[in-house]
Amino acid sequence: MRSRTLVRTAAVRTAVVAVAASLAGGVATAAHAHDDNRPQLSHARPQRLIDRSPDLVQPGQITVDRSIGAARAAQEVHLAQQLYTFWNTGQRKYLDAAISPRFKDNTLPAGRPQGPAGPALASTNFRAAVPDLTCELSDLLVTGDKITARLVFRGHFTGTFNGIQGKGQRVGFDAIDIQHVGRDKIVEDWHIEDNKTLLNQLGAGGVTAPSGR
């Protein structure tokens, strides 16, 4: 199985630091100028933006930039729910609903195709090792045209990875994503995973991880 390498570019590190500050109660980005003709969000509004459909992943915590307006905020929250429902279920229909055909992965691992085919292949490969993989959307931050998510992946290593047959051991690791939303879908992303923890859980510390997100 292909794996994406742990990206350590300065841009991604900076973004992750900003996200951590926001989740700790700081400010991730400067507020956008208000448009008096744009409907604003009340402090209670973010929870109302969540699509409560039972088939969609529900964010544990949600923070929304009130200056972007209710309609745009609801659109971005819904796209995030669709994308992470794809990672939670492996069902391609959710991926297609969330990302543009021109989607670009800015942290593309070697050997993985660019565009929508990339995450589709990564999900297939990862589920070959962890068939019951789940994706928890622990924190969702919506700022301007960016979605930032803190994710927790869990499951059991009952499949195979790099010739290793799983024995049912538990798998759990964290990830941070930044998604750039275009007019109606996600057009590009940056992502980073705790591959070291994953490899230790798989008993494969000397090889590259199968997470491939």
Side-chain angles (χ1 to χ4, degrees):
M1 290 179 286
R2 296 286 184 184
S3 162
R4 69 169 242 177
T5 56
L6 185 64
V7 178
R8 299 185 182 277
T9 64
V12 172
R13 286 199 303 270
T14 300
V16 172
V17 169
V19 172
S22 173
L23 297 178
V27 178
T29 60
H32 296 275
H34 285 273
D35 181 347
D36 291 339
N37 296 319
R38 179 183 294 173
Q40 301 303 320
L41 300 170
S42 70
H43 289 290
R45 183 66 177 175
Q47 289 295 327
R48 299 179 185 176
L49 299 173
I50 299 171
D51 186 334
R52 298 297 181 180
S53 300
D55 60 318
L56 293 179
V57 163
Q58 305 292 305
Q61 298 290 330
I62 180 170
T63 304
V64 177
D65 173 5
R66 290 180 290 158
S67 70
I68 67 176
R72 177 66 174 186
Q75 176 193 39
E76 294 187 22
V77 171
H78 190 248
L79 287 171
Q81 289 185 261
Q82 290 175 315
L83 178 62
Y84 297 114
T85 298
F86 161 70
W87 285 110
N88 188 55
T89 65
Q91 295 184 39
R92 178 66 185 260
K93 66 179 181 180
Y94 295 110
L95 178 67
D96 292 340
I99 70 174
S100 166
R102 296 178 296 281
F103 171 80
K104 179 183 179 183
D105 182 348
N106 290 296
T107 46
L108 188 72
R112 197 171 108 189
Q114 186 56 271
L121 178 63
S123 175
T124 298
N125 287 346
F126 199 5
R127 288 179 181 279
V130 186
D132 65 343
L133 180 70
T134 63
C135 174
E136 176 185 301
L137 179 53
S138 298
D139 285 282
L140 180 63
L141 177 64
V142 178
T143 54
D145 61 358
K146 297 291 195 307
I147 297 167
T148 304
R150 182 174 68 86
L151 311 169
V152 181
F153 289 87
R154 297 186 179 92
H156 296 83
F157 181 27
T158 57
T160 58
F161 166 62
N162 199 42
I164 301 172
Q165 175 62 53
K167 299 179 181 179
Q169 58 264 51
R170 291 182 179 178
V171 170
F173 68 98
D174 298 326
I176 295 286
D177 282 3
I178 302 174
Q179 309 289 341
H180 177 201
V181 181
R183 184 175 62 84
D184 58 357
K185 290 190 176 185
I186 295 167
V187 295
E188 62 178 338
D189 80 344
W190 299 260
H191 51 95
I192 188 167
E193 294 86 36
D194 184 1
N195 284 334
K196 182 177 180 181
T197 294
L198 174 60
L199 288 172
N200 288 338
Q201 293 168 345
L202 298 176
V207 296
T208 54
S211 56
R213 288 196 336 99

